C-alpha cells in the first residue's frame, strides 16, 4: 500500500474517531443538561409546594390573628359587663341587708303600732267629747267601731290603721262643710240643727219660735233673739240644698285671744 493511501485511511479514521468522540461528548452533555433541567424542575416544584404551604400558613395565621383580635374585643366587653354586674350585685346585696334589717324590725314595729292606734282612738274620743256636739252619737259610734276593730282577730294591723286614719279624716272634713239634720235635744224635743264647719252650730224648733247657738265658752246653748229666726231657718234650708247658698247674718263666737 502506498503512503498516500495509508495517509488517507489514517485521516479518515481520525475523522471518524473525532466524529464519534464529538457525538459521545454531545450525548454526555445532553444527559448532564437533562439531569440539571430535571433537578431545576424538581427544585421549582419543591419551591412551589413550599410557597403554597407558606401561603396556607400565612392565611391560617392571618385568620387566627383576626379571631384572636375578635376574642380580645369580646373579652374586653365581657370584662366591662362583668364589672358592671359586680356593681349591681353589690348594690343588691346592700339592699338585701337593708331588707333583712327591716324584716327584723317588723316585730318591734308591730309591738309599737298597736299602742299607737289605741292612743289615737282615745285622743279622738277626747276630742269629740270636747268639740262642738254636732252628730255626737254618730261620731262616738264610729269611735266604738274602731275599738271593735282593734279587738277583732280577723282584722289585720294595716286595716286597723286604715280605719283609724279614715276616722281622723272624717273629723277633719267636718271643719270644711256645712250640714243640717234633725235630732233631739237633751230635753227630748226634736229640732233642726245646722252646722257651719266648726265655727257655728245652731238649732231651731219645728215651729221656728226658738233658735239657739252653741256657746263654746260655756259648753251650752245660748238663746238667740227673734231677729235671727229667719237667718237660722235660711241656713238650715241652704245646708239641706233646698235653696242656693246666699249671705246670711248669724252670730258667731269670736275665737279666744292668746
Amino acid at each position: 500500500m502506498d503512503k498516500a493511501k495509508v495517509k488517507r485511511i489514517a485521516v479518515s479514521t481520525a475523522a471518524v474517531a473525532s466524529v464519534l468522540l464529538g457525538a459521545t461528548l454531545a450525548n454526555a452533555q445532553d444527559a448532564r443538561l437533562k439531569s440539571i433541567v430535571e433537578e431545576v424542575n424538581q427544585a421549582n416544584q419543591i419551591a412551589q409546594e413550599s410557597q403554597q404551604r407558606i401561603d396556607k400558613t400565612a392565611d391560617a395565621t392571618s385568620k387566627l390573628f383576626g379571631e384572636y383580635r375578635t376574642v380580645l374585643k369580646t373579652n374586653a366587653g365581657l370584662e366591662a359587663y362583668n364589672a358592671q354586674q359586680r356593681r349591681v350585685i353589690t348594690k343588691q346585696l346592700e339592699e338585701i341587708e337593708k331588707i333583712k334589717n327591716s324584716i327584723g324590725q317588723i316585730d318591734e314595729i308591730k309591738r309599737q303600732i298597736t299602742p299607737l292606734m289605741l292612743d289615737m282612738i282615745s285622743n279622738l274620743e277626747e276630742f269629740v267629747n270636747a268639740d262642738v256636739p254636732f252628730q255626737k252619737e254618730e261620731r262616738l259610734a264610729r269611735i266604738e267601731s274602731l275599738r271593735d276593730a282593734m279587738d277583732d282577730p280577723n282584722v289585720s294591723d294595716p286595716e286597723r290603721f286604715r280605719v283609724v286614719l279614715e276616722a281622723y279624716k272624717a273629723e277633719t272634713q267636718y271643719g270644711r262643710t256645712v250640714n243640717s239634720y234633725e235630732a233631739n235635744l237633751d230635753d227630748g224635743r226634736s229640732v233642726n240643727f245646722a252646722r257651719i264647719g266648726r265655727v257655728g252650730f245652731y238649732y231651731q224648733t219645728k215651729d221656728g219660735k226658738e233658735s239657739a247657738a252653741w256657746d263654746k265658752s260655756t259648753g251650752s246653748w245660748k238663746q238667740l233673739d227673734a231677729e235671727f229666726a229667719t237667718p237660722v231657718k235660711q241656713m238650715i234650708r241652704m245646708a239641706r240644698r233646698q235653696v242656693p247658698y246666699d249671705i246670711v247674718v248669724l252670730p258667731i263666737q269670736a275665737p279666744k285671744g292668746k
Side-chain angles (χ1 to χ4, degrees), residues 128 133-143 181 183-184:
V128 170
F134 59 88
Q135 299 169 263
K136 192 169 183 178
E137 292 182 359
E138 175 185 332
R139 296 159 71 192
L140 291 177
R142 183 187 295 119
I143 293 172
Y181 60 96
N184 294 332

Side-chain angles (χ1 to χ4, degrees), residues 76-110:
L78 289 174
E79 288 177 0
Y81 175 77
N82 289 337
Q84 191 270 340
Q85 289 300 305
R86 283 193 293 271
R87 292 193 295 271
V88 171
I89 292 172
T90 299
K91 291 293 185 180
Q92 289 176 336
L93 291 176
E94 292 175 356
E95 290 298 322
I96 289 173
E97 287 300 318
K98 291 179 181 179
I99 292 172
K100 287 181 178 179
N101 292 334
S102 298
I103 292 174
Q105 297 174 357
I106 287 177
D107 291 338
E108 180 62 25
I109 293 173
K110 290 179 67 176

Side-chain angles (χ1 to χ4, degrees), residues 15-31:
V16 171
S18 176
V19 170
L20 293 175
L21 179 61
T24 301
L25 290 174
N27 290 334
Q29 290 177 352
D30 289 342

Side-chain angles (χ1 to χ4, degrees), residues 124-186:
L124 187 60
E125 184 178 27
E126 291 178 6
F127 173 78
V128 170
N129 286 326
D131 193 22
V132 178
F134 59 88
Q135 299 169 263
K136 192 169 183 178
E137 292 182 359
E138 175 185 332
R139 296 159 71 192
L140 291 177
R142 183 187 295 119
I143 293 172
E144 190 61 30
S145 69
L146 296 179
R147 289 201 168 93
D148 291 340
M150 295 299 297
D151 295 336
D152 190 344
N154 296 319
V155 180
S156 64
D157 284 339
E159 178 63 16
R160 290 169 180 165
F161 197 70
R162 186 190 68 80
V163 295
V164 170
L165 291 181
E166 285 293 328
Y168 270 80
K169 182 179 178 180
E171 288 294 330
T172 301
Q173 291 297 324
Y174 287 138
R176 303 172 182 172
T177 59
V178 296
N179 187 32
S180 176
Y181 60 96
E182 183 179 338
N184 294 332
L185 293 171
D186 292 339

